[in-house]
Amino acid sequence: VLIGWLAAICAVDAHGAVRESAIKAAYLLKFPNFVEWPAGTFGGAQDPLVIAVYGDDEVAAELEQLTASRRAEGRPVTVRRLREGEPPGKPHILYAAGPREMRARELLASATGPVLTVTDGPAESPDSAVLAFVVADGQVRFNASLTAAAAHNLRLSARLLAVANQVEGRP
Amino acid sequence: VNLLDRRSIQGKLTRILVVTVGTALLLAAAVLLAVETAKTSASIRRDLVTQADIIGLSSEAALTFNDPKVGEQNLRALSPKHGMVAAAIYDAQGRLFASVRFDSAQPQPPAVRPADGIAFGLQHASVVRPVLQNRERIGSVYILVRHGIVVEILQYLAWLVAVMLASLSGAILLLRRLQRGLTAPILDVSRVAQSVLDRGTFNVRAVRTTDDEVGRLVDAFNAMLDELGNRARVLREANEALSASEARYQLAAQGSSAGLWDWDLDNDTMFVSPRFKTALGYSDSDFPDRPSSLLGIVHPEDQSLLQAAIDAHLADASPLQAECRLRDVRGDWHWFLVTGMARRTAQGRPFRMAGSLVDVTQRKQSELLLHEANQAKDTFLATLAHELRNPLAPLRTGVQILKSPKAAPSTVQRTLETMDRQLTHMVRLIDDLLDISRISSGKIRLELARVSLRRVIQTAVDLGRPAMDAAGHSLSVELPDPDVPLQGDDTRLTQAFGNLLNNAAKYTPPGGRVRIRAWQEGQSAIVEVSDNGIGIPGDMLETVFDLFTQVNEGAERSPGGLGIGLFLVRSLVEMHGGSIAAASAGPGQGTMFTVRLPCVARVAAQDAGAREAVVERGVADEMRVLVVDDNIDAAETLSTFLEMTGMHTRMAHTGPAAVDAALDYRPDVVLLDIGLPGIDGYEVARRIRSRPEVSRVLLIALTGWGTEADQRRAREAGFDHHLTKPVDVGALDALLRQKRRQA
């Protein structure tokens, strides 16, 4: 915690503002608290939470740094960087962003089953990703898509939705 | 009368009720209040925590994703209606994340997160709860509310007070109604007790109306009244018995001459019965109930004796008995016998003495008289011995002179006269004694005959002449002329006047004048004997006639005497129906005795001539006299005397010898001593009388005993006459002459 906290401080001090990548990484680790995967997704209580990252090395690096000492929802966290063309496999969270938007979109679309898909920037279609980072009022926020969540068989906490910038598919 | 009591009892009950019920209510109220307060407080805390936790839960995402707006929205969800004042969310670092203020009058939530927990103030309560995520603190929630618990408590309190007041009032009202059942019987008991006190009778009873403790109290009270009534009755009966006993005791005390005394030693008071005080003439004020009252009237000479008796009694518990003189109110002394007994404590200390006071004055006086009489008797005996011894000395001397061959005839003659006088004196002394004895025992008898006062006085003068001559007195005699005849015993009358003359001679200094006069005065013969002798003190003019009394005026001048002469004189005179009086101008002024005798009608004095013949001296020739006495000297002297008068005599010294001599000698007269060896004089007389040949003999008894009984016994034994020893020769001579004339 201390190292993370120090890293965050350093990040703030070094760039004059909290680095987006650090916040996104931290958010990625917090999301599991507000998301409910279908039963049987995790084999055991100590099964690691796998986060696959594509296209944003900064976030991946932040994540790797954070997960060295932090857990998500009480589980160890495994960060997997997806190289170009590498199939996402079966991670619990798939974060796909970066300059190669199409590739990222494809990757997200290819992920099926109970995977929390997260992207950066406003989604082009409601079902492209469950959550999407946006910047509002100079702050990192996120939008949520209930449609996508339902597609991935995930349930998003009401509290998560309460702090979401926009919620798609709310009846 | 009972309004006050009722109030008092009601007041007490009400006070008890208020105190107990009030205390109970207060206690209950306090507990309720405390419980309510605790409950309210706990509820407030619980609400605070719940609300904070809800806010924390809902704000978890806001904190996680750093969204203060959402945090504030969550905070706005809190309702200001429930006293909410302010709320805030702090981030993990304790910095203010979001805050709302519902009351602008209140201050802002603190900028830095306060410590976790609940802060409970009088008006406000605040809570700080952590917001946890995966057991990791991601922030805190702060809520400040105005809880209003004080107002709530005050309201509650107001309700309690109202309820309490209502309950108390209700209880008091109920008590008022219910206590009548309790107080009415008690007031009834009180009323009965008051009436018992007022009227003093125990015949009222309280009525039992209930069956509880009050009912039992009524029962007990009635039982107590019964008991009191019984005790009062027993006490009254005991008092009556006591007063009856006291009355009996008083009656007994008044009936006896005894006074009673009761000395309380502890309080130093002494009760003395009123009868005693009255007897001595004291009033209650003269005689307060103090020991000093009694001790104050004790004769000074008796005080130590009385004190010693009391001390002895207190020391050894022997009965207190003492005689002492007590002074009456007039100052006269009375003898009292003081008896008493002390009451003692268990330790033996006397605390009370009581006893009686008996007037023994009369007994004491008798004792005194007895004592004086005894003393007179002692004096008499001493004097008698002296008087008897006095004549013996000259007799003995005379005998010595007569035995001496050298004595001249004139000396012999004088000696014989002296001896004769002494002897006469002695004989008269003893005769007087015998007469006294007879008078005392009432055995003397007068041989009454017509007597001549002249002859009687003449004879007395003859008898007294020697004494007069011896003392050198001049005696003047004035015989009655004409003679005064009397009815009397001439011997006794002679004896009386002779005694008076002897007395005069004896109590007149030598060379004095004695006069005897006699005359008739009406039907009385007066004989007056006067002298110029030592006289008689005025206070003894009466007592001088008493037995053993003497005028002891100057012992050295007193010629002595038995003190029987005047007694004898008075006795003889009174036996003749006469009286005697003594008169004296005082000591040294001489004495005059006056005798009054009743006289009889005057007759011719023919006796006088007859007597003249008797007095004439004749010769007792040819008379044979047997003298019987075991005392040879006595027999010989008497025999010698008789032979000197010309008689024949023979002597015998024993009884049987006397009888033999009488038969052999054939005497005309036998002078027979009674106390003989062998057979006594009486027996000798009887034997002589039993022999016809000597039956006409004249038997004369000679005894030392001259009582009437002796004389009677002698007569019974056959004696003709009785003479006491020593023999009066004159009397013997007269008897012998009489015998000879008969012969």
Side-chain angles (χ1 to χ4, degrees), chain B residues 6-33:
Chain B
R6 189 191 299 272
R7 262 184 200 160
S8 166
I9 265 195
Q10 279 189 345
K12 282 174 188 166
L13 282 172
T14 308
R15 209 176 314 142
I16 288 170
L17 185 81
V18 167
V19 168
T20 51
V21 173
T23 307
L25 285 174
L26 274 177
L27 215 61
V31 169
L32 278 176
L33 201 62

Side-chain angles (χ1 to χ4, degrees), chain B residues 8 10 103 132 187 189 195-196 237 253 276 317 380 384 409 412 485 492 515 532 583-584 598 605 647 671 684 690 729:
Chain B
S8 166
Q10 279 189 345
D103 186 349
L132 299 176
L187 293 176
V189 168
S195 83
V196 166
E237 285 168 3
F276 170 79
F380 165 71
L384 178 62
V412 169
R492 295 304 179 189
R515 185 173 68 164
N532 61 346
S584 173
M647 297 189 189
L671 294 172
V684 172
S690 67
V729 178

Side-chain angles (χ1 to χ4, degrees), chain A residues 93-110:
Chain A
I93 296 173
L94 170 63
Y95 177 54
R100 305 179 70 169
E101 289 184 20
M102 286 310 291
R103 181 64 192 146
R105 240 174 257 150
E106 279 171 19
L107 197 61
L108 289 170
S110 68

